[in-house]
Amino acid sequence: YISHDEMLLEATANVILHLEQLRRKTLPNSLSAALPGIPKESIQQAIADMGLPAAVRGEQLTLEDFAALSAALGREADGD
C-alpha cells in the first residue's frame, strides 16, 4: 500500500528531476518533453491555474509550486 502523500512525493521528485535535465526551457516545453502522456495544453492550463506566467521556467518555482503542479498533473494523468 502506498499512501497519497508518498505518491505525491514521488510525483514531485519526478517533476523536479525532469526539469533539472531540461533547464533553460520554459516549463510547458520541459514538462511536455518529460511527460509525454500528458497533453501540453493540460500542462499549460495547470500552470495558468497556479497563477504562473506562461513562459515560467522550472528554476523559478518554489518547492510548494512543484508540489502543487505535481498534484495537478497527477490528477491529469489519472484522468480526473
Side-chain angles (χ1 to χ4, degrees), residues 3 20 24 31 42 69 79:
S3 73
E20 185 62 29
R24 313 278 313 149
L31 289 176
S42 297
L69 185 56

Side-chain angles (χ1 to χ4, degrees), residues 39-80:
K40 186 173 183 178
E41 296 78 20
S42 297
I43 294 169
Q44 292 168 323
Q45 186 61 53
I47 291 168
D49 289 347
M50 292 176 60
L52 297 171
V56 68
R57 296 181 185 277
E59 57 265 25
Q60 296 172 291
L61 271 64
T62 65
L63 289 176
E64 291 81 10
D65 292 335
F66 278 117
L69 185 56
S70 296
L73 295 177
R75 287 190 298 273
E76 175 66 29
D78 292 340
D80 293 344

Side-chain angles (χ1 to χ4, degrees), residues 4-14 70:
H4 174 71
D5 290 341
E6 290 172 316
M7 290 175 20
L8 178 58
L9 181 61
E10 182 179 344
T12 302
N14 284 336
S70 296

